Amino acid sequence: MVVKKGLPAEMEELLKQLVMNGGIRMAGTVLYIYCRRTYQVDEDTAARWMIAYFRREFPQQLQWHQERIVKA
């Protein structure tokens, strides 16, 4: 059975600060690297976890970021 631990409080705070200051791309990079190094998962799994986290925690900011990418 897998026990879900979640992210450390420092990581959650860092991600929240980055997203609220307009750095969602940097926050995504930080979370992606954290997942790769901590859980030693492949690139696709880390990317899926990153997207799932932002959809759950910051849906408005993610939507704004995705719309901005499409316009470019």
Side-chain angles (χ1 to χ4, degrees), residues 3-70:
V3 177
K4 293 185 180 183
K5 298 181 205 173
L7 292 174
E10 296 87 11
M11 179 64 73
E12 287 182 4
E13 186 64 29
L14 172 64
L15 294 174
K16 182 178 178 182
Q17 288 177 357
L18 285 170
V19 170
M20 294 305 154
N21 289 325
I24 192 167
R25 186 177 183 107
M26 179 60 72
T29 302
V30 169
L31 183 59
Y32 174 83
I33 292 170
Y34 176 81
C35 291
R36 291 282 320 254
R37 291 184 180 174
T38 303
Y39 301 109
Q40 299 180 355
V41 296
D42 61 294
E43 295 173 359
D44 294 333
T45 303
R48 282 189 290 124
W49 289 356
M50 177 188 64
I51 293 168
Y53 177 81
F54 283 110
R55 281 187 182 150
R56 185 180 69 237
E57 299 295 327
F58 305 105
Q60 293 176 336
Q61 291 84 353
L62 180 62
Q63 182 181 4
W64 177 80
H65 178 71
Q66 289 174 335
E67 289 172 359
R68 202 174 96 202
I69 290 174
V70 169

